[in-house]
Amino acid sequence: MPQATDHGGGVRSLRVPIPDNPLGHTLVYVVDTDRGPVLIDTGWDDPESWDTLANGLTACGTSVAEIHGVVITHHHPDHHGLSGRVREASGAWIAMHAADTAVVRRTREARPERWFSYMTAKLTAAGAPEEHIAPLRTPRPRALPGLSPALPDRDIVPGELLDLAGRRLRAIWTPGHTPGHVCLHLEETHPARLPGHGRLFSGDHLLPGITPHIGLYEDPDDATVTDPLGDYLDSLERVGRLAPAEVLPAHQHPFPDAAARVHELLDHHEARLTSLRALLAEPLTPWQLAERMEWNRPWEQIPYGSRNIAVSEAEAHLRRLVKLGRAEAVPGSEPVRYVAV
């Protein structure tokens, strides 16, 4: 694959690998400004990923040392992982939405034991079997990715233009995948004169062939009942109304007609909610619902960590069904079971 792809109008992308991940890579965008290049996302913190980023920037005619700023769509390690190294090498600022900066700060300050105890309680409440929970009770010391992410210097303010000299890049708050996910609307004429309104750096919010994970917003110290799937669906409709000429996502490939893709995703999630409501003809815990949901492989073949993610996604769908009045908790059940209404 080429080290850099030129999208025209002072925008290029680099395919930065994600180790041992079926997604393969993160598309890191390099945006020229009057004060130097700015990155949109940075990729996973891994030696191969760092070398790919550095070599790709060289292919673009610049270097890590010349990076002026880093704009992060969301805090996940395949997007924010290398931000700290870029800042160390260049002195660049890092910008992120305040809601995701709060996640970064909490991650940096929390001890690993706190996370394991939280996950133990969470999975117990979801109805996970003891054999799944047991490893969390006696965790082995190990290095986990993203435990010391870089703390951003600047807040991305929704609706406002970012401070990029010579460019018009407006932040669009699109919570759902994370509480502080942002898309970035480049309000400039498309270099190929495609019909529509500029270009949209969509992060993980809008992808051409897959749907992003929508789970619960994880905050061990906040008992607020959030609705991430509801947030995501609302955000999708807001992005669809922008009608950009082209979408530049963080995975897979650029594509036109954001509105059509938004409608596909809205239809997909409505169909999924309908199918999950049918499963709730009998009372089920979140774990039991996750076992019965349709995934990209049979439940028995889903790895341990991915099962935790699947249960979080099941819970996000349950919260949406409850909010819509399509399901309810069974009074007195422990762990709590849900049933269709």
Side-chain angles (χ1 to χ4, degrees), residues 144-209:
L144 296 174
L147 283 184
S148 298
L151 197 62
D153 314 286
R154 300 183 180 185
D155 283 343
I156 294 176
V157 180
E160 293 190 2
L161 290 171
L162 277 75
D163 183 18
L164 303 185
R167 309 306 300 247
R168 289 187 58 84
L169 189 67
R170 192 176 303 276
I172 311 297
W173 184 34
T174 51
H177 185 54
T178 71
H181 190 290
V182 293
C183 292
L184 301 154
H185 190 199
L186 190 60
E187 298 178 338
E188 301 170 8
T189 302
H190 192 282
R193 303 287 177 177
L194 297 180
H197 305 290
R199 290 182 280 181
L200 184 74
F201 299 100
S202 65
D204 281 3
H205 185 69
L206 193 61
L207 303 170

Short mmCIF file of all heavy atoms in Angstrom, two decimals, residues 144-209:
data_model
loop_
_atom_site.label_atom_id
_atom_site.label_comp_id
_atom_site.label_asym_id
_atom_site.label_seq_id
_atom_site.Cartn_x
_atom_site.Cartn_y
_atom_site.Cartn_z
N LEU A 144 -1.54 -2.89 29.88
CA LEU A 144 -2.71 -2.75 29.03
C LEU A 144 -2.57 -1.50 28.17
O LEU A 144 -2.06 -0.48 28.65
CB LEU A 144 -3.99 -2.65 29.88
CG LEU A 144 -4.34 -3.86 30.72
CD1 LEU A 144 -5.54 -3.56 31.61
CD2 LEU A 144 -4.63 -5.07 29.85
N PRO A 145 -2.98 -1.56 26.91
CA PRO A 145 -2.84 -0.38 26.05
C PRO A 145 -3.72 0.76 26.52
O PRO A 145 -4.82 0.55 27.02
CB PRO A 145 -3.30 -0.89 24.68
CG PRO A 145 -4.20 -2.05 24.99
CD PRO A 145 -3.62 -2.68 26.22
N GLY A 146 -3.19 1.96 26.38
CA GLY A 146 -4.01 3.13 26.67
C GLY A 146 -4.15 3.49 28.14
O GLY A 146 -4.98 4.31 28.49
N LEU A 147 -3.32 2.90 29.02
CA LEU A 147 -3.47 3.21 30.45
C LEU A 147 -2.81 4.53 30.82
O LEU A 147 -3.07 5.06 31.89
CB LEU A 147 -2.89 2.07 31.31
CG LEU A 147 -3.76 0.82 31.43
CD1 LEU A 147 -3.11 -0.18 32.38
CD2 LEU A 147 -5.17 1.18 31.93
N SER A 148 -1.95 5.07 29.97
CA SER A 148 -1.32 6.38 30.24
C SER A 148 -1.43 7.26 29.01
O SER A 148 -0.42 7.73 28.47
CB SER A 148 0.14 6.19 30.65
OG SER A 148 0.24 5.46 31.84
N PRO A 149 -2.65 7.52 28.54
CA PRO A 149 -2.80 8.35 27.34
C PRO A 149 -2.41 9.80 27.62
O PRO A 149 -2.46 10.27 28.75
CB PRO A 149 -4.29 8.24 27.02
CG PRO A 149 -4.94 7.95 28.34
CD PRO A 149 -3.94 7.12 29.10
N ALA A 150 -1.99 10.48 26.57
CA ALA A 150 -1.58 11.88 26.71
C ALA A 150 -2.76 12.75 27.09
O ALA A 150 -3.86 12.62 26.54
CB ALA A 150 -0.98 12.36 25.39
N LEU A 151 -2.55 13.66 28.03
CA LEU A 151 -3.59 14.60 28.43
C LEU A 151 -3.61 15.75 27.43
O LEU A 151 -2.59 16.41 27.21
CB LEU A 151 -3.32 15.13 29.83
CG LEU A 151 -4.48 15.80 30.56
CD1 LEU A 151 -5.63 14.82 30.79
CD2 LEU A 151 -4.00 16.36 31.90
N PRO A 152 -4.75 16.02 26.79
CA PRO A 152 -4.81 17.10 25.79
C PRO A 152 -4.54 18.48 26.38
O PRO A 152 -4.71 18.71 27.59
CB PRO A 152 -6.24 17.00 25.26
CG PRO A 152 -6.66 15.60 25.55
CD PRO A 152 -5.99 15.25 26.86
N ASP A 153 -4.10 19.40 25.50
CA ASP A 153 -3.83 20.79 25.89
C ASP A 153 -5.01 21.70 25.65
O ASP A 153 -5.14 22.75 26.28
CB ASP A 153 -2.66 21.35 25.08
CG ASP A 153 -1.49 20.42 24.98
OD1 ASP A 153 -0.78 20.26 25.98
OD2 ASP A 153 -1.31 19.83 23.89
N ARG A 154 -5.87 21.33 24.68
CA ARG A 154 -6.95 22.21 24.25
C ARG A 154 -8.27 21.44 24.20
O ARG A 154 -8.29 20.25 23.92
CB ARG A 154 -6.67 22.78 22.85
CG ARG A 154 -5.41 23.59 22.73
CD ARG A 154 -5.26 24.17 21.32
NE ARG A 154 -4.04 24.96 21.18
CZ ARG A 154 -3.73 25.64 20.09
NH1 ARG A 154 -4.54 25.63 19.04
NH2 ARG A 154 -2.60 26.34 20.03
N ASP A 155 -9.35 22.17 24.44
CA ASP A 155 -10.69 21.61 24.29
C ASP A 155 -11.20 21.88 22.88
O ASP A 155 -11.03 22.98 22.34
CB ASP A 155 -11.68 22.25 25.28
CG ASP A 155 -11.51 21.70 26.69
OD1 ASP A 155 -10.88 20.63 26.85
OD2 ASP A 155 -11.99 22.36 27.63
N ILE A 156 -11.84 20.88 22.29
CA ILE A 156 -12.58 21.07 21.05
C ILE A 156 -13.99 21.51 21.44
O ILE A 156 -14.69 20.78 22.15
CB ILE A 156 -12.63 19.78 20.22
CG1 ILE A 156 -11.22 19.40 19.74
CG2 ILE A 156 -13.58 19.93 19.04
CD1 ILE A 156 -11.16 18.08 19.00
N VAL A 157 -14.40 22.68 21.00
CA VAL A 157 -15.70 23.23 21.38
C VAL A 157 -16.70 22.98 20.25
O VAL A 157 -16.49 23.45 19.12
CB VAL A 157 -15.59 24.73 21.67
CG1 VAL A 157 -16.96 25.29 22.08
CG2 VAL A 157 -14.57 24.98 22.77
N PRO A 158 -17.76 22.21 20.52
CA PRO A 158 -18.72 21.90 19.46
C PRO A 158 -19.29 23.16 18.81
O PRO A 158 -19.61 24.14 19.48
CB PRO A 158 -19.82 21.12 20.20
CG PRO A 158 -19.14 20.56 21.39
CD PRO A 158 -18.11 21.57 21.79
N GLY A 159 -19.39 23.12 17.49
CA GLY A 159 -19.96 24.23 16.74
C GLY A 159 -18.98 25.31 16.37
O GLY A 159 -19.29 26.16 15.52
N GLU A 160 -17.79 25.29 16.97
CA GLU A 160 -16.81 26.33 16.70
C GLU A 160 -15.76 25.87 15.71
O GLU A 160 -15.47 24.67 15.59
CB GLU A 160 -16.13 26.78 18.00
CG GLU A 160 -17.07 27.50 18.96
CD GLU A 160 -16.32 28.14 20.11
OE1 GLU A 160 -15.06 28.06 20.14
OE2 GLU A 160 -16.98 28.72 20.99
N LEU A 161 -15.16 26.83 15.00
CA LEU A 161 -14.04 26.53 14.12
C LEU A 161 -12.79 26.29 14.96
O LEU A 161 -12.54 27.00 15.95
CB LEU A 161 -13.78 27.70 13.16
CG LEU A 161 -14.83 27.94 12.07
CD1 LEU A 161 -14.53 29.25 11.35
CD2 LEU A 161 -14.85 26.79 11.08
N LEU A 162 -12.00 25.27 14.58
CA LEU A 162 -10.74 25.05 15.25
C LEU A 162 -9.74 26.11 14.80
O LEU A 162 -9.86 26.68 13.72
CB LEU A 162 -10.20 23.66 14.93
CG LEU A 162 -10.77 22.52 15.79
CD1 LEU A 162 -12.18 22.18 15.38
CD2 LEU A 162 -9.88 21.29 15.73
N ASP A 163 -8.75 26.36 15.64
CA ASP A 163 -7.75 27.39 15.36
C ASP A 163 -6.69 26.83 14.42
O ASP A 163 -5.58 26.49 14.83
CB ASP A 163 -7.11 27.86 16.67
CG ASP A 163 -6.11 28.99 16.46
OD1 ASP A 163 -6.17 29.63 15.39
OD2 ASP A 163 -5.27 29.21 17.34
N LEU A 164 -7.06 26.71 13.15
CA LEU A 164 -6.14 26.22 12.12
C LEU A 164 -5.97 27.32 11.09
O LEU A 164 -6.89 27.61 10.32
CB LEU A 164 -6.68 24.96 11.44
CG LEU A 164 -7.00 23.75 12.34
CD1 LEU A 164 -7.40 22.57 11.47
CD2 LEU A 164 -5.83 23.40 13.23
N ALA A 165 -4.80 27.91 11.06
CA ALA A 165 -4.55 29.06 10.18
C ALA A 165 -4.75 28.67 8.72
O ALA A 165 -4.17 27.71 8.22
CB ALA A 165 -3.13 29.57 10.39
N GLY A 166 -5.62 29.42 8.04
CA GLY A 166 -5.86 29.21 6.62
C GLY A 166 -6.85 28.11 6.30
O GLY A 166 -7.08 27.82 5.12
N ARG A 167 -7.47 27.48 7.32
CA ARG A 167 -8.44 26.41 7.07
C ARG A 167 -9.73 26.69 7.85
O ARG A 167 -9.72 27.39 8.87
CB ARG A 167 -7.91 25.03 7.52
CG ARG A 167 -6.56 24.62 7.01
CD ARG A 167 -6.40 24.67 5.51
NE ARG A 167 -7.29 23.81 4.75
CZ ARG A 167 -6.89 22.76 4.04
NH1 ARG A 167 -5.60 22.40 4.03
NH2 ARG A 167 -7.75 22.07 3.31
N ARG A 168 -10.85 26.15 7.34
CA ARG A 168 -12.13 26.25 8.04
C ARG A 168 -12.57 24.84 8.43
O ARG A 168 -13.17 24.10 7.64
CB ARG A 168 -13.20 26.90 7.16
CG ARG A 168 -12.99 28.39 6.93
CD ARG A 168 -14.17 29.01 6.18
NE ARG A 168 -15.44 28.82 6.90
CZ ARG A 168 -15.88 29.61 7.88
NH1 ARG A 168 -15.14 30.64 8.28
NH2 ARG A 168 -17.05 29.37 8.45
N LEU A 169 -12.23 24.46 9.66
CA LEU A 169 -12.55 23.13 10.18
C LEU A 169 -13.43 23.29 11.41
O LEU A 169 -12.97 23.78 12.44
CB LEU A 169 -11.27 22.37 10.52
CG LEU A 169 -11.43 20.90 10.87
CD1 LEU A 169 -11.90 20.10 9.64
CD2 LEU A 169 -10.12 20.31 11.39
N ARG A 170 -14.69 22.89 11.28
CA ARG A 170 -15.66 23.09 12.36
C ARG A 170 -15.92 21.77 13.09
O ARG A 170 -16.10 20.71 12.47
CB ARG A 170 -16.97 23.65 11.81
CG ARG A 170 -17.92 24.14 12.90
CD ARG A 170 -19.18 24.79 12.30
NE ARG A 170 -18.88 25.89 11.40
CZ ARG A 170 -18.65 27.13 11.81
NH1 ARG A 170 -18.66 27.44 13.09
NH2 ARG A 170 -18.40 28.08 10.91
N ALA A 171 -15.97 21.84 14.41
CA ALA A 171 -16.21 20.66 15.25
C ALA A 171 -17.70 20.37 15.36
O ALA A 171 -18.50 21.26 15.64
CB ALA A 171 -15.62 20.89 16.64
N ILE A 172 -18.06 19.11 15.13
CA ILE A 172 -19.43 18.64 15.28
C ILE A 172 -19.44 17.57 16.35
O ILE A 172 -18.82 16.51 16.19
CB ILE A 172 -19.97 18.05 13.95
CG1 ILE A 172 -19.70 18.99 12.77
CG2 ILE A 172 -21.45 17.73 14.08
CD1 ILE A 172 -20.38 20.32 12.86
N TRP A 173 -20.10 17.82 17.47
CA TRP A 173 -20.15 16.85 18.57
C TRP A 173 -21.06 15.70 18.18
O TRP A 173 -22.24 15.90 17.85
CB TRP A 173 -20.63 17.54 19.84
CG TRP A 173 -20.63 16.67 21.06
CD1 TRP A 173 -19.74 15.67 21.37
CD2 TRP A 173 -21.55 16.72 22.15
NE1 TRP A 173 -20.04 15.11 22.58
CE2 TRP A 173 -21.15 15.73 23.07
CE3 TRP A 173 -22.66 17.51 22.42
CZ2 TRP A 173 -21.85 15.51 24.27
CZ3 TRP A 173 -23.36 17.31 23.61
CH2 TRP A 173 -22.95 16.31 24.53
N THR A 174 -20.52 14.48 18.20
CA THR A 174 -21.28 13.30 17.77
C THR A 174 -21.12 12.18 18.80
O THR A 174 -20.48 11.15 18.53
CB THR A 174 -20.80 12.82 16.39
OG1 THR A 174 -19.36 12.69 16.41
CG2 THR A 174 -21.20 13.80 15.29
N PRO A 175 -21.67 12.34 20.00
CA PRO A 175 -21.53 11.30 21.02
C PRO A 175 -22.24 10.01 20.61
O PRO A 175 -23.15 10.01 19.78
CB PRO A 175 -22.19 11.94 22.25
CG PRO A 175 -23.19 12.90 21.68
CD PRO A 175 -22.54 13.44 20.44
N GLY A 176 -21.80 8.93 21.21
CA GLY A 176 -22.38 7.61 20.94
C GLY A 176 -21.31 6.55 21.05
O GLY A 176 -21.32 5.72 21.96
N HIS A 177 -20.34 6.58 20.15
CA HIS A 177 -19.20 5.66 20.21
C HIS A 177 -18.38 5.95 21.46
O HIS A 177 -17.89 5.04 22.13
CB HIS A 177 -18.38 5.82 18.95
CG HIS A 177 -17.23 4.85 18.82
ND1 HIS A 177 -17.39 3.48 18.91
CD2 HIS A 177 -15.90 5.06 18.59
CE1 HIS A 177 -16.22 2.89 18.75
NE2 HIS A 177 -15.30 3.83 18.57
N THR A 178 -18.18 7.21 21.77
CA THR A 178 -17.66 7.69 23.05
C THR A 178 -18.45 8.94 23.42
O THR A 178 -19.09 9.55 22.56
CB THR A 178 -16.15 8.06 22.98
OG1 THR A 178 -16.00 9.26 22.20
CG2 THR A 178 -15.32 6.94 22.37
N PRO A 179 -18.39 9.37 24.69
CA PRO A 179 -19.17 10.56 25.06
C PRO A 179 -18.69 11.84 24.41
O PRO A 179 -19.47 12.79 24.27
CB PRO A 179 -19.02 10.62 26.59
CG PRO A 179 -17.81 9.82 26.90
CD PRO A 179 -17.74 8.74 25.86
N GLY A 180 -17.41 11.88 24.01
CA GLY A 180 -16.88 13.11 23.44
C GLY A 180 -16.42 12.98 22.00
O GLY A 180 -15.61 13.78 21.53
N HIS A 181 -16.95 12.01 21.29
CA HIS A 181 -16.57 11.83 19.89
C HIS A 181 -16.95 13.09 19.09
O HIS A 181 -18.02 13.66 19.29
CB HIS A 181 -17.26 10.61 19.29
CG HIS A 181 -16.75 10.22 17.94
ND1 HIS A 181 -16.98 10.97 16.80
CD2 HIS A 181 -16.01 9.15 17.54
CE1 HIS A 181 -16.41 10.39 15.77
NE2 HIS A 181 -15.82 9.28 16.18
N VAL A 182 -16.06 13.50 18.20
CA VAL A 182 -16.37 14.62 17.31
C VAL A 182 -16.09 14.23 15.87
O VAL A 182 -15.16 13.46 15.57
CB VAL A 182 -15.55 15.90 17.65
CG1 VAL A 182 -15.95 16.46 19.00
CG2 VAL A 182 -14.06 15.63 17.58
N CYS A 183 -16.91 14.73 14.97
CA CYS A 183 -16.60 14.77 13.54
C CYS A 183 -16.12 16.18 13.23
O CYS A 183 -16.40 17.14 13.97
CB CYS A 183 -17.83 14.44 12.70
SG CYS A 183 -18.40 12.73 12.86
N LEU A 184 -15.38 16.32 12.15
CA LEU A 184 -14.76 17.60 11.81
C LEU A 184 -15.13 17.96 10.39
O LEU A 184 -14.77 17.24 9.44
CB LEU A 184 -13.25 17.49 11.98
CG LEU A 184 -12.84 17.11 13.42
CD1 LEU A 184 -11.50 16.41 13.44
CD2 LEU A 184 -12.84 18.33 14.32
N HIS A 185 -15.87 19.06 10.24
CA HIS A 185 -16.41 19.46 8.94
C HIS A 185 -15.48 20.48 8.30
O HIS A 185 -15.34 21.59 8.80
CB HIS A 185 -17.81 20.04 9.13
CG HIS A 185 -18.53 20.24 7.84
ND1 HIS A 185 -19.62 21.08 7.72
CD2 HIS A 185 -18.34 19.72 6.60
CE1 HIS A 185 -20.06 21.06 6.48
NE2 HIS A 185 -19.30 20.25 5.78
N LEU A 186 -14.83 20.07 7.21
CA LEU A 186 -13.95 20.98 6.48
C LEU A 186 -14.82 21.79 5.52
O LEU A 186 -15.22 21.32 4.45
CB LEU A 186 -12.89 20.17 5.71
CG LEU A 186 -11.73 20.96 5.08
CD1 LEU A 186 -10.94 21.72 6.14
CD2 LEU A 186 -10.82 20.02 4.30
N GLU A 187 -15.11 23.03 5.93
CA GLU A 187 -16.06 23.87 5.21
C GLU A 187 -15.38 24.59 4.04
O GLU A 187 -15.29 25.81 4.00
CB GLU A 187 -16.70 24.88 6.17
CG GLU A 187 -17.49 24.21 7.29
CD GLU A 187 -18.08 25.21 8.26
OE1 GLU A 187 -17.57 26.35 8.34
OE2 GLU A 187 -19.04 24.87 8.96
N GLU A 188 -14.85 23.82 3.15
CA GLU A 188 -14.15 24.33 1.97
C GLU A 188 -14.64 23.58 0.74
O GLU A 188 -15.04 22.43 0.84
CB GLU A 188 -12.64 24.14 2.14
CG GLU A 188 -12.07 24.83 3.37
CD GLU A 188 -10.62 24.44 3.66
OE1 GLU A 188 -10.00 23.74 2.83
OE2 GLU A 188 -10.12 24.83 4.71
N THR A 189 -14.60 24.23 -0.39
CA THR A 189 -15.04 23.59 -1.63
C THR A 189 -14.25 22.32 -1.89
O THR A 189 -13.02 22.29 -1.72
CB THR A 189 -14.87 24.55 -2.82
OG1 THR A 189 -15.61 25.75 -2.58
CG2 THR A 189 -15.34 23.90 -4.12
N HIS A 190 -14.93 21.26 -2.24
CA HIS A 190 -14.25 20.00 -2.53
C HIS A 190 -13.26 20.20 -3.67
O HIS A 190 -13.59 20.83 -4.68
CB HIS A 190 -15.27 18.92 -2.89
CG HIS A 190 -14.69 17.54 -2.92
ND1 HIS A 190 -13.92 17.08 -3.96
CD2 HIS A 190 -14.75 16.53 -2.02
CE1 HIS A 190 -13.53 15.84 -3.71
NE2 HIS A 190 -14.02 15.48 -2.55
N PRO A 191 -12.03 19.68 -3.55
CA PRO A 191 -11.03 19.93 -4.61
C PRO A 191 -11.43 19.38 -5.97
O PRO A 191 -10.97 19.90 -7.00
CB PRO A 191 -9.77 19.23 -4.07
CG PRO A 191 -10.26 18.29 -3.02
CD PRO A 191 -11.47 18.91 -2.43
N ALA A 192 -12.30 18.35 -5.99
CA ALA A 192 -12.77 17.82 -7.27
C ALA A 192 -14.13 18.40 -7.66
O ALA A 192 -14.76 17.91 -8.60
CB ALA A 192 -12.85 16.29 -7.22
N ARG A 193 -14.58 19.40 -6.91
CA ARG A 193 -15.86 20.07 -7.18
C ARG A 193 -17.05 19.11 -7.09
O ARG A 193 -18.04 19.28 -7.80
CB ARG A 193 -15.85 20.75 -8.55
CG ARG A 193 -14.73 21.76 -8.74
CD ARG A 193 -14.97 23.03 -7.96
NE ARG A 193 -13.86 23.97 -8.08
CZ ARG A 193 -13.84 25.19 -7.54
NH1 ARG A 193 -14.89 25.60 -6.84
NH2 ARG A 193 -12.81 25.98 -7.68
N LEU A 194 -16.95 18.11 -6.24
CA LEU A 194 -18.09 17.21 -6.05
C LEU A 194 -19.24 17.98 -5.41
O LEU A 194 -19.02 18.90 -4.60
CB LEU A 194 -17.70 16.03 -5.16
CG LEU A 194 -16.61 15.08 -5.70
CD1 LEU A 194 -16.36 13.98 -4.70
CD2 LEU A 194 -17.01 14.52 -7.05
N PRO A 195 -20.49 17.64 -5.73
CA PRO A 195 -21.62 18.34 -5.13
C PRO A 195 -21.74 18.03 -3.65
O PRO A 195 -21.50 16.91 -3.21
CB PRO A 195 -22.83 17.80 -5.91
CG PRO A 195 -22.38 16.46 -6.42
CD PRO A 195 -20.91 16.61 -6.70
N GLY A 196 -22.08 19.03 -2.88
CA GLY A 196 -22.21 18.86 -1.44
C GLY A 196 -21.47 19.96 -0.71
O GLY A 196 -20.92 20.88 -1.31
N HIS A 197 -21.43 19.83 0.60
CA HIS A 197 -20.88 20.88 1.45
C HIS A 197 -19.58 20.41 2.10
O HIS A 197 -19.58 19.83 3.18
CB HIS A 197 -21.90 21.29 2.52
CG HIS A 197 -23.22 21.70 1.96
ND1 HIS A 197 -23.40 22.87 1.26
CD2 HIS A 197 -24.42 21.08 1.96
CE1 HIS A 197 -24.66 22.97 0.88
NE2 HIS A 197 -25.30 21.89 1.28
N GLY A 198 -18.46 20.65 1.41
CA GLY A 198 -17.16 20.36 1.98
C GLY A 198 -16.92 18.88 2.20
O GLY A 198 -17.50 18.02 1.55
N ARG A 199 -16.01 18.60 3.15
CA ARG A 199 -15.66 17.22 3.48
C ARG A 199 -15.79 17.01 4.98
O ARG A 199 -15.63 17.95 5.77
CB ARG A 199 -14.24 16.92 3.01
CG ARG A 199 -14.12 16.86 1.50
CD ARG A 199 -12.71 16.51 1.06
NE ARG A 199 -11.82 17.67 1.10
CZ ARG A 199 -10.54 17.63 0.73
NH1 ARG A 199 -10.00 16.50 0.34
NH2 ARG A 199 -9.79 18.73 0.77
N LEU A 200 -16.06 15.76 5.38
CA LEU A 200 -16.27 15.44 6.78
C LEU A 200 -15.28 14.38 7.23
O LEU A 200 -15.27 13.26 6.70
CB LEU A 200 -17.69 14.93 7.01
CG LEU A 200 -18.06 14.66 8.48
CD1 LEU A 200 -18.28 15.97 9.22
CD2 LEU A 200 -19.30 13.78 8.57
N PHE A 201 -14.41 14.73 8.20
CA PHE A 201 -13.58 13.74 8.88
C PHE A 201 -14.48 13.11 9.94
O PHE A 201 -14.82 13.75 10.94
CB PHE A 201 -12.36 14.40 9.52
CG PHE A 201 -11.45 15.09 8.53
CD1 PHE A 201 -11.50 16.47 8.35
CD2 PHE A 201 -10.55 14.35 7.78
CE1 PHE A 201 -10.66 17.10 7.44
CE2 PHE A 201 -9.70 14.98 6.86
CZ PHE A 201 -9.76 16.35 6.70
N SER A 202 -14.85 11.85 9.73
CA SER A 202 -15.93 11.27 10.54
C SER A 202 -15.45 10.39 11.68
O SER A 202 -16.28 9.86 12.43
CB SER A 202 -16.88 10.46 9.65
OG SER A 202 -16.21 9.35 9.09
N GLY A 203 -14.13 10.22 11.86
CA GLY A 203 -13.67 9.34 12.93
C GLY A 203 -14.29 7.96 12.80
O GLY A 203 -14.31 7.36 11.72
N ASP A 204 -14.82 7.44 13.91
CA ASP A 204 -15.52 6.15 13.89
C ASP A 204 -17.03 6.32 13.80
O ASP A 204 -17.76 5.32 13.81
CB ASP A 204 -15.19 5.35 15.16
CG ASP A 204 -13.84 4.68 15.08
OD1 ASP A 204 -13.13 4.87 14.07
OD2 ASP A 204 -13.46 3.98 16.04
N HIS A 205 -17.50 7.54 13.76
CA HIS A 205 -18.94 7.78 13.81
C HIS A 205 -19.66 7.28 12.57
O HIS A 205 -20.73 6.66 12.66
CB HIS A 205 -19.19 9.28 13.99
CG HIS A 205 -20.63 9.64 14.17
ND1 HIS A 205 -21.34 9.31 15.31
CD2 HIS A 205 -21.50 10.31 13.37
CE1 HIS A 205 -22.57 9.75 15.20
NE2 HIS A 205 -22.70 10.35 14.02
N LEU A 206 -19.07 7.52 11.42
CA LEU A 206 -19.70 7.17 10.15
C LEU A 206 -18.65 6.45 9.29
O LEU A 206 -17.69 7.07 8.84
CB LEU A 206 -20.21 8.43 9.44
CG LEU A 206 -21.17 8.25 8.26
CD1 LEU A 206 -22.44 7.53 8.69
CD2 LEU A 206 -21.51 9.60 7.65
N LEU A 207 -18.85 5.14 9.10
CA LEU A 207 -17.92 4.30 8.36
C LEU A 207 -18.66 3.68 7.18
O LEU A 207 -19.87 3.43 7.25
CB LEU A 207 -17.34 3.21 9.26
CG LEU A 207 -16.62 3.72 10.52
CD1 LEU A 207 -16.30 2.56 11.46
CD2 LEU A 207 -15.34 4.46 10.14
N PRO A 208 -17.96 3.39 6.08
CA PRO A 208 -18.67 2.99 4.86
C PRO A 208 -19.27 1.59 4.89
O PRO A 208 -20.28 1.34 4.23
CB PRO A 208 -17.59 3.08 3.78
CG PRO A 208 -16.30 2.93 4.50
CD PRO A 208 -16.51 3.58 5.84
N GLY A 209 -18.66 0.65 5.65
CA GLY A 209 -19.13 -0.72 5.56
C GLY A 209 -19.37 -1.42 6.88
O GLY A 209 -19.80 -2.58 6.89
#
